[in-house]
Amino acid sequence: MAVGVGLLVVNLLSPGTWGSEQKRVANRINYELWVQETAHVQRPLDGRCLSCEPANAALRDSIAAVRGTSEPNDWAKAGANVQTKKQGPLQFLVDIVPSNIFLSFNNTLMLQVIFFAIFFGIMLLLIPPDRAGPVSAFMNGCNDVFMKMVDVVMKAAPYFVFALMTGVVARMAGDDPGAVAELFKGLAGYMITVVLGLALVVFVIYPALMTALMRRNVFRRFLKAMSPAQLLAFSTSSSAATLPATIRCVEENIGVSKATASFVLPVGATVNMDGTSLLQAVAVVFLAQLHMVDLTFMQQLSIVLTATLASIGAAAIPSAGLMLLVVVLSSLGLDPAWVAIIFTVDRPLDMCRTVVNITGDAAVCSVVAHGEGEKLFQEKGA
Ligand code: ASP
């Protein structure tokens, strides 16, 4: 639902089209040249070729010179020879299942890797503990090693981010510094869209679901009860760091039992990220609009799946959702480096989406507790 709301607002407001048309054409040509330079992407998502049009030839050549693309326009010739396979509407589901997991690792087919990981994990639960134990211990050890690697590499992250952003912004601006201002104007539209989508989830979807499932309107009291945790989520941008406060609010202010809270909330903090998945949906469509890439209804539908999986995979820490956006973009055949464009404005959005993430967890927790017959809100106080 959150992804659906995100897609709805971003399609209605189209923040990516707010900037100048000329700049978007330049962005589009950049995208087409990226397609040409990228071995595993054969043609632009919508199959159009603006860089083939004679009117854009001069622009294409100047952008190609900046990028260092050899023989711009090659892909169009090659693309003409590529036979596009007739694919059914559910092809994206078929594509998620790996036929060879090592190929998936090699080609960074992240959705296939995530699918395999989930399948592997569930199967691990279904075999006797004495056989599963060593595998789990090994996996946990590997997890620790990889986390440490990320930790060490991330020490240099500010420099990496600086370099990546400078490159992308300079490429988008070309030799016109005014274009940078234009880019930031476009980003304001993106931020408004995300915040509007998040507000709809919190103030429309959650109350509607809670009222329907709990058969009473407790949303005001729910928000008041959760406000300390929401404030912490806003300031830390981390569902994991907020977890103890979320548990406390749900237990003490709402009256959920310890058993329910400690079962639902830790899973929710890592898996259930409505704000994150909404942001990913908005970001992908916004970036596509900014680069004049028309996404079809089916392609947008596949965003529902990829954004949901990516938000499940995202860690409950600051900016994790943005990192996983790389997966969503590349699984759709878009340039993952576009993430750098929205990096600048991610922190405030991260603060807002983390609030939505933990509010969603608490809402689900209250509904589960209600289903278990626990006395919530006034029953406890009364
Ligand atoms: N910061 C978010 C959270 O912890 C994850 C994200 O980056 O979207 O819930």
Side-chain angles (χ1 to χ4, degrees):
M1 278 188 212
V3 178
V5 170
L7 289 176
L8 188 77
V9 282
V10 75
N11 279 297
L12 285 180
L13 298 182
S14 298
T17 62
W18 291 8
S20 86
E21 192 71 8
Q22 206 187 350
K23 206 61 236 157
R24 289 177 64 222
V25 173
N27 291 346
R28 167 76 196 200
I29 290 175
N30 252 310
Y31 165 61
E32 289 178 6
L33 294 177
W34 171 80
V35 170
Q36 185 185 318
E37 294 156 10
T38 312
H40 64 273
V41 183
Q42 277 174 343
R43 52 194 310 127
L45 260 193
D46 51 10
R48 293 188 302 149
C49 180
L50 264 69
S51 54
C52 308
E53 292 173 11
N56 294 328
L59 184 61
R60 178 200 65 210
D61 290 344
S62 67
I63 295 176
V66 173
R67 295 184 69 97
T69 316
S70 56
E71 291 185 56
N73 208 17
D74 245 2
W75 79 264
K77 289 184 218 137
N81 298 328
V82 174
Q83 288 289 319
T84 37
K85 227 178 19 184
K86 198 98 191 92
Q87 294 187 330
L90 294 180
Q91 183 62 30
F92 66 92
L93 283 179
V94 177
D95 291 342
I96 284 183
V97 183
S99 49
N100 179 340
I101 187 61
F102 296 102
L103 283 182
S104 314
F105 283 133
N106 278 352
N107 297 321
T108 20
L109 300 172
M110 291 308 285
L111 286 179
Q112 297 194 352
V113 173
I114 293 175
F115 175 88
F116 181 77
I118 294 173
F119 192 39
F120 190 88
I122 294 174
M123 292 309 113
L124 212 51
L125 289 175
L126 297 183
I127 62 173
D130 56 319
R131 311 297 291 268
V135 184
S136 288
F138 175 73
M139 290 296 168
N140 281 331
C142 285
N143 187 38
D144 291 349
V145 173
F146 287 127
M147 290 307 252
K148 199 74 212 159
M149 280 181 177
V150 173
D151 227 33
V152 171
V153 173
M154 287 306 274
K155 295 218 184 309
Y159 303 100
F160 298 153
V161 170
F162 172 75
L164 184 65
M165 261 173 57
T166 311
V168 169
V169 172
R171 202 173 296 154
M172 287 189 77
D175 49 11
D176 171 19
V180 179
E182 175 119 16
L183 174 63
F184 283 98
K185 225 165 55 195
L187 286 177
Y190 159 72
M191 292 177 80
I192 293 171
T193 311
V194 172
V195 172
L196 184 70
L198 293 176
L200 282 175
V201 169
V202 172
F203 297 109
V204 178
I205 305 260
Y206 291 161
L209 281 181
M210 286 181 79
T211 311
L213 296 171
M214 297 171 76
R215 296 192 199 292
R216 48 196 278 238
N217 188 357
V218 285
F219 193 68
R220 265 162 167 256
R221 264 172 296 165
F222 168 77
L223 275 190
K224 192 158 172 265
M226 288 309 298
S227 56
Q230 286 169 331
L231 213 63
L232 193 65
F234 189 74
S235 52
T236 59
S237 289
S238 165
S239 302
T242 313
L243 185 59
T246 316
I247 294 180
R248 202 172 44 247
C249 287
V250 161
E251 282 179 13
E252 290 173 11
N253 301 351
I254 299 181
V256 173
S257 72
K258 200 173 179 56
T260 306
S262 54
F263 172 64
V264 177
L265 290 174
V267 181
T270 44
V271 167
N272 175 45
M273 294 194 184
D274 301 340
T276 302
S277 58
L278 181 141
L279 172 113
Q280 287 172 342
V282 173
V284 171
V285 179
F286 166 75
L287 290 168
Q289 289 169 347
L290 200 63
H291 292 79
M292 274 193 152
V293 182
D294 292 328
L295 298 174
T296 61
F297 180 71
M298 283 322 289
Q299 283 162 342
Q300 299 216 14
L301 212 59
S302 76
I303 296 178
V304 175
L305 193 77
T306 44
T308 306
L309 278 180
S311 70
I312 290 174
I317 54 171
S319 290
L322 200 69
M323 296 299 133
L324 265 278
L325 188 61
V326 171
V327 175
V328 184
L329 285 170
S330 41
S331 74
L332 278 167
L334 297 170
D335 185 357
W338 290 352
V339 166
I341 299 170
I342 49 178
F343 215 107
T344 21
V345 293
D346 192 57
R347 186 65 192 203
L349 295 179
D350 196 4
M351 296 160 85
C352 299
R353 68 179 181 260
T354 307
V355 172
V356 177
N357 289 346
I358 67 117
T359 307
D361 300 338
V364 172
C365 188
S366 308
V367 170
V368 171
H370 174 83
E372 292 295 303
E374 292 174 20
K375 294 203 179 308
L376 308 179
F377 299 104
Q378 90 277 20
E379 286 110 331
K380 190 121 193 186

